[in-house]
Amino acid sequence: MSKITFYLTMTAGALCFASCTKQTGGTAGGFPPMPMKAVYENSLEYAWSQKQVYDSRLLSDMETMGAWEHKGFGSLTLSDANAYEGKRALLLESPTKGPNPPGEGRPWGVASAVYKVDKEDWTDWNRISFRIYPDLPGFKVVSISLVFHNEGEDRVPDSYERNGLNYQVLDNHKWNKVYWEIAHLGREKVTGIEIRYRLQGNEPGASETARYYLDELYLEKVDADHFEGWDVAPGQVAYNHAGYAIDAPKMALISDTRIDSFYLKDAVTGRVVRKGGTEVQATPIGSFRIADFSDVNTVGTYVLEAGNLRTKPFAIDAFARVYRSSILKTINHFYTQRCGYAVKDIHDACHLDWLSTHGDQAVAIHGGWHDAGDLSQGLVNTAEATYALLMLREAVEDSDSLLASRLLEEAHWGLDWMLKTRFGDGFRNVWATKDMWTDGIFGTADDFHSQAQNSPHANLVSATAEAAAALAFRTEDTWLSDYALGCAVEDFTFGTRIAEREMHIELAGAALNAAVALYRSTGEAAYKQAAVSYADYILECQQQDALSADVALKGFFYRTPSRQTILHYSHRAHEHDAVVGLVALAKLFPTEAEKWTEAVRLYGDFYKEIATVNAPYYMLPAGIYDLGQAENETMTEQIKSGLPLSERYYLRRFPVWTTFRGNSGTTLTQAKGLSVIAHFLKDEELRRIVYRTLDWHLGLNPFAQSLMYGEGYCFAGQYSVTSGNLVGGLPVGVQTHFNRDAPYWPAENCYNWKEIWVHPSTRWLMLMSDFIE
């Protein structure tokens, strides 16, 4: 029996290290226990609870049914068993499952308590609050969703069923106070507020009935959070909450443009380290008051004061120390997303009855990581995450052996899932939707299985990770190393066989990286030859001279050599693959690297030029859009809301998109490609632009919020309502309102933009490996 055949007979998780079941104690330079807990007082939810309420209006005390109606499963009744105030509360009661198998792996339906409103004008009010007591015995995580209804000109929910939906994670068996700021929503003809439970199943041993007690629904008037535009949130300083690396740019943006000076102080002693004047910088997106302290490189913990504004403490230190916290929290994010594994206070060993089918065959697909805010599984995300963990492990192996060991352990968890979900003929579990908990028993109503696919992109990305794993485990586990390499060879063949018939730059980039990884693992000349061939294809896709007579920009890529469609992504992006592969090839074969080096130089110069349109944030723009490629009125309107370069071409700051919105997946991907180029070319200007992408995600953005849950301050709850808010999670990212081209980040929580997918976290680790190395 071959090793490959033998492995396919093994049980799930058979290769996982024993240390996967242990908790590493918190020591100096070590690890806190996982799952990690966020500091509530640093959260945005805490900040909401502390806001002054200038006026309020009681909509319902829940002593009578009044304007309340029930929709969907279950029932809505008055109850005197558990009231927060007064004698009664409303009780929303529902089964956790429907009677029939769920469709497409999604919930069975909803049970709703709807407060009916007769087209009232609520524009004077900007917040809703109410009390809620979940009673779901055995549930480790509970949540509720809210829906706002408005029939005015700005209809809510919007056509994409996103704007006006808000998901809230709750504490079980206690009264919670929920706050929802609605300043961003149309509310001139309000028709209702809906409090909704989604039937998402239950784990074995947990209650099959969900009960929610509701009390005291209020309208309120507060100082609402800043939610749209480039200006800094009033009363805030936008800065990197983790801190700044030595010799890196260090700046903060002051919301009050009248403040002309700042003080940088030692956070412990209060001593003034730097007194400076702020500067006003006029940019294409507005005028900003900037405090620049890039000349301060003394290791320490600091606060910045400007007028009556003051930051929370942040560090100045070596990059690896400033960002170690975010790395640990990202590892925690992956750990808490583990499927088929009991994670304390989040879930038990879950989805043991989940299969991927291929003809008459099936494999169990629990394991790996839940891939998004729901509980789905995806091969490309798993393979990329495994690869990122391995690359970061390689970067820190000599300087931080404890971190390197933990990274290898988590990579092993992902690799195990990749290998056990192959059918060995090119087909494998590529994507599986599962938006519910299951009972672990085959043949019951909560079963919904995925169908295996033969995806060239998935196989090529997997081959890259498998080949890298072969090197990483060569001394740790020679059997696993040999097996991973055998799979990589097979998956490269499966991927390229189909890719040759339907080639485009995404496949070429994946194939190039897989060929490079296999060359490193085997030294076989055939992989060099393949890599060079794919690199040549990528160069044919590049705009290497001026775009047109009136647009001098160049260096970006098209989807194919026909150069009809400019390469863009609106969600999970793979733009980095092409240039990462070209740089890798140039490093391996420097005497042949002239054309590859020139291509990545052009690409880097393109972004250096267009990033200036988003100064002083330097958020990486989405790129050039061709009006002639617009497929409908919505695309046309979005393209035209960008910066006109000519009658045909426009520069968009944010992608053109529909339902899937959020630009962390795109900007972090662009940053990864540019980071590799910056280090290869020793381009300090480009490196500084990439660095600003890290700043943006940790607080130096218009909303002065850290986008990583549990890292820094004013971090918002994320759409991860089945597993709860997970420390280290990064959302899909900041979006735009309707068809505009400015940042939009309202105080509500909905898929996909505030949903935690794995890919932004993967790109974060990819960037860490570049800067630490």
Side-chain angles (χ1 to χ4, degrees):
M1 180 183 292
S2 70
K3 288 181 178 179
I4 292 178
T5 304
F6 173 73
Y7 187 86
L8 290 172
T9 69
M10 297 179 69
T11 58
L15 289 179
C16 186
F17 289 150
S19 57
C20 284
T21 63
K22 299 178 181 177
Q23 292 297 319
T24 308
T27 59
F31 292 86
M34 295 185 182
M36 298 168 70
K37 302 294 184 184
V39 178
Y40 175 68
E41 288 75 15
N42 290 343
S43 70
L44 191 59
E45 186 174 354
Y46 175 77
W48 293 337
S49 74
Q50 301 302 300
K51 284 192 176 184
Q52 180 179 353
V53 178
Y54 298 110
D55 197 4
S56 64
R57 170 187 162 193
L58 179 64
L59 292 176
S60 175
D61 59 8
M62 278 66 161
E63 293 296 317
T64 66
M65 290 297 293
W68 288 96
E69 294 182 0
H70 171 256
K71 281 175 39 179
F73 283 81
S75 62
L76 181 67
T77 58
L78 287 171
S79 172
D80 57 7
N82 186 14
Y84 180 81
E85 190 71 32
K87 296 181 179 180
R88 299 181 183 85
L90 286 181
L91 172 59
L92 179 63
E93 194 167 14
S94 173
T96 60
K97 305 175 186 177
N100 301 312
E104 301 298 321
R106 295 298 183 185
W108 283 267
V110 300
S112 295
V114 182
Y115 182 78
K116 303 290 288 185
V117 180
D118 188 17
K119 297 182 180 179
E120 290 184 13
D121 185 350
W122 285 2
T123 52
D124 288 340
W125 307 97
N126 58 18
R127 190 166 85 169
I128 295 165
S129 73
F130 65 94
R131 305 279 181 173
I132 183 167
Y133 185 106
D135 181 16
L136 288 83
F139 273 70
K140 296 176 176 63
V141 176
V142 296
S143 64
I144 203 76
S145 65
L146 313 173
V147 186
F148 194 82
H149 295 274
N150 181 67
E151 294 185 1
E153 183 177 352
D154 183 1
R155 295 186 68 87
V156 184
D158 66 350
S159 59
Y160 298 128
E161 290 290 323
R162 302 289 197 274
N163 213 41
L165 275 69
N166 186 25
Y167 289 79
Q168 177 74 38
V169 175
L170 305 170
D171 290 331
N172 203 4
H173 299 127
K174 66 178 289 188
W175 281 104
N176 299 254
K177 189 168 186 180
V178 173
Y179 306 93
W180 183 14
E181 291 187 6
I182 56 174
H184 61 292
L185 297 176
R187 53 196 188 280
E188 76 279 23
K189 287 186 180 180
V190 177
T191 57
I193 301 169
E194 185 175 352
I195 302 173
R196 176 190 287 178
Y197 165 71
R198 295 202 303 171
L199 281 67
Q200 292 181 280
N202 57 274
E203 293 192 274
S207 173
E208 295 185 358
T209 301
R211 296 180 180 88
Y212 292 88
Y213 295 89
L214 311 173
D215 213 344
E216 294 200 317
L217 175 65
Y218 277 92
L219 281 177
E220 296 175 339
K221 185 181 297 185
V222 298
D223 290 328
D225 288 352
H226 177 46
F227 60 85
E228 185 177 18
W230 294 101
D231 51 312
V232 178
Q236 298 293 327
V237 177
Y239 66 104
N240 186 321
H241 298 175
Y244 302 84
I246 293 169
D247 295 328
K250 304 174 188 70
M251 59 164 281
L253 303 181
I254 314 298
S255 59
D256 188 341
T257 56
R258 300 167 297 179
I259 296 175
D260 58 6
S261 63
F262 71 92
Y263 296 87
L264 187 68
K265 294 184 176 182
D266 186 296
V268 178
T269 67
R271 180 177 63 89
V272 175
V273 175
R274 169 87 151 79
K275 178 183 178 182
T278 62
E279 297 181 0
V280 175
Q281 181 178 349
T283 79
I285 56 175
S287 183
F288 296 86
R289 181 69 71 167
I290 298 174
D292 192 320
F293 48 100
S294 298
D295 56 338
V296 179
N297 288 300
T298 302
V299 173
T301 304
Y302 299 88
V303 294
L304 186 143
E305 295 181 359
N308 63 349
L309 305 179
R310 177 185 171 94
T311 69
K312 297 288 183 67
F314 59 87
I316 294 178
D317 209 331
F319 183 93
R321 287 191 284 272
V322 171
Y323 282 90
R324 195 173 196 273
S325 173
S326 73
I327 292 172
L328 294 180
K329 288 170 181 173
T330 303
I331 295 172
N332 178 80
H333 172 232
F334 280 102
Y335 173 79
T336 53
Q337 289 274 49
R338 286 186 179 186
C339 177
Y341 179 89
V343 182
K344 187 176 184 295
D345 299 326
I346 296 176
H347 59 72
D348 293 325
C350 56
H351 301 119
L352 303 182
D353 52 353
W354 200 4
L355 299 176
S356 181
T357 60
H358 175 40
D360 295 332
Q361 298 177 311
V363 294
I365 57 172
H366 60 274
W369 302 289
H370 293 144
D371 200 54
D374 53 28
L375 304 169
S376 299
Q377 282 273 28
L379 175 60
V380 171
N381 286 342
T382 301
E384 288 185 331
T386 300
Y387 183 78
L389 289 159
L390 292 172
M391 292 302 98
L392 182 54
R393 179 255 187 181
E394 183 178 322
V396 304
E397 189 173 12
D398 294 334
S399 61
D400 195 336
S401 59
L402 185 62
L403 177 58
S405 177
R406 183 64 185 86
L407 288 162
L408 188 65
E409 176 186 303
E410 203 62 37
H412 196 299
W413 181 261
L415 177 66
D416 178 45
W417 185 85
M418 291 170 56
L419 299 180
K420 82 182 185 74
T421 55
R422 301 172 76 248
F423 286 92
D425 60 354
F427 283 82
R428 57 202 307 167
N429 181 69
V430 174
W431 181 261
T433 299
K434 184 69 76 174
D435 199 2
M436 64 190 71
W437 300 117
T438 66
D439 58 15
I441 302 171
F442 293 105
T444 57
D446 59 16
D447 289 354
F448 180 81
H449 304 311
S450 76
Q451 186 170 345
Q453 301 171 54
N454 188 356
S455 163
H457 185 245
N459 275 317
L460 290 168
V461 174
S462 296
T464 305
E466 290 156 355
L471 289 176
F473 288 100
R474 187 159 287 175
T475 58
E476 300 277 346
D477 186 333
T478 56
W479 186 92
L480 176 60
S481 173
D482 290 344
Y483 177 65
L485 183 57
C487 291
V489 170
E490 288 187 352
D491 292 341
F492 181 77
T493 301
F494 296 141
T496 54
R497 185 181 298 156
I498 297 177
E500 295 298 333
R501 301 196 300 266
E502 51 187 61
M503 184 60 69
H504 50 76
I505 192 170
E506 182 176 286
L507 289 177
L512 169 57
N513 283 288
V516 167
L518 281 162
Y519 180 82
R520 286 172 173 159
S521 295
T522 67
E524 293 182 12
Y527 291 116
K528 174 190 175 182
Q529 183 179 354
V532 170
S533 174
Y534 293 121
D536 288 344
Y537 181 93
I538 289 169
L539 265 56
E540 291 177 13
C541 296
Q542 188 176 37
Q543 181 73 41
Q544 295 193 334
D545 49 13
L547 174 59
S548 65
D550 46 2
V551 181
L553 291 169
K554 58 185 177 181
F556 57 89
F557 290 98
Y558 294 86
R559 217 174 140 69
T560 66
S562 68
R563 300 187 186 182
Q564 295 298 309
T565 304
I566 298 173
L567 181 66
H568 289 297
Y569 292 91
S570 61
H571 184 50
R572 186 185 73 191
H574 301 281
E575 186 175 336
H576 66 301
D577 276 341
V579 293
V580 168
L582 291 174
V583 169
L585 199 58
K587 286 181 175 180
L588 280 174
F589 308 107
T591 60
E592 306 170 43
E594 182 179 356
K595 61 182 179 180
W596 308 322
T597 300
E598 179 58 21
V600 298
R601 190 188 310 278
L602 284 172
Y603 183 81
D605 288 346
F606 170 69
Y607 274 101
K608 283 193 291 187
E609 184 164 356
I610 67 171
T612 59
V613 303
N614 290 335
Y617 301 103
Y618 288 92
M619 184 199 81
L620 292 169
I624 297 173
Y625 282 81
D626 182 352
L627 193 60
Q629 294 290 312
E631 298 175 2
N632 51 52
E633 291 183 6
T634 297
M635 288 185 65
T636 298
E637 185 177 343
Q638 289 190 36
I639 291 171
K640 285 187 172 181
S641 68
L643 294 173
L645 303 175
S646 67
E647 290 186 3
R648 177 177 175 181
Y649 295 108
Y650 290 75
L651 181 66
R652 282 275 303 182
R653 296 181 166 96
F654 286 85
V656 170
W657 40 29
T658 55
T659 54
F660 277 46
R661 298 184 174 218
N663 76 335
S664 287
T666 58
T667 58
L668 288 170
T669 301
Q670 293 164 318
K672 170 58 185 178
L674 296 173
S675 175
V676 169
I677 294 170
H679 286 78
F680 174 58
L681 299 178
K682 297 180 173 56
D683 188 328
E684 185 61 22
E685 180 187 355
L686 188 57
R687 191 180 76 86
R688 286 172 175 261
I689 290 173
V690 173
Y691 190 87
R692 299 305 298 277
T693 303
L694 305 180
D695 285 342
W696 172 276
H697 281 82
L698 294 185
L700 214 169
N701 54 59
F703 314 103
Q705 297 178 25
S706 171
L707 303 188
M708 180 180 287
Y709 190 83
E711 176 72 352
Y713 314 101
C714 289
F715 43 83
Q718 298 173 342
Y719 182 81
S720 177
V721 294
T722 43
S723 300
N725 286 312
L726 305 177
V727 169
L730 277 172
V732 173
V734 175
Q735 61 156 326
T736 59
H737 197 25
F738 300 126
N739 296 326
R740 301 167 193 164
D741 195 25
Y744 180 58
W745 191 249
E748 65 185 20
N749 178 17
C750 190
Y751 42 80
N752 299 86
W753 55 289
K754 273 193 181 172
E755 185 173 2
I756 53 167
W757 283 57
V758 170
H759 65 272
S761 298
T762 294
R763 273 59 172 169
W764 189 263
L765 294 182
M766 288 178 174
L767 284 166
M768 295 298 103
S769 65
D770 294 336
F771 279 92
I772 288 176
E773 186 178 23

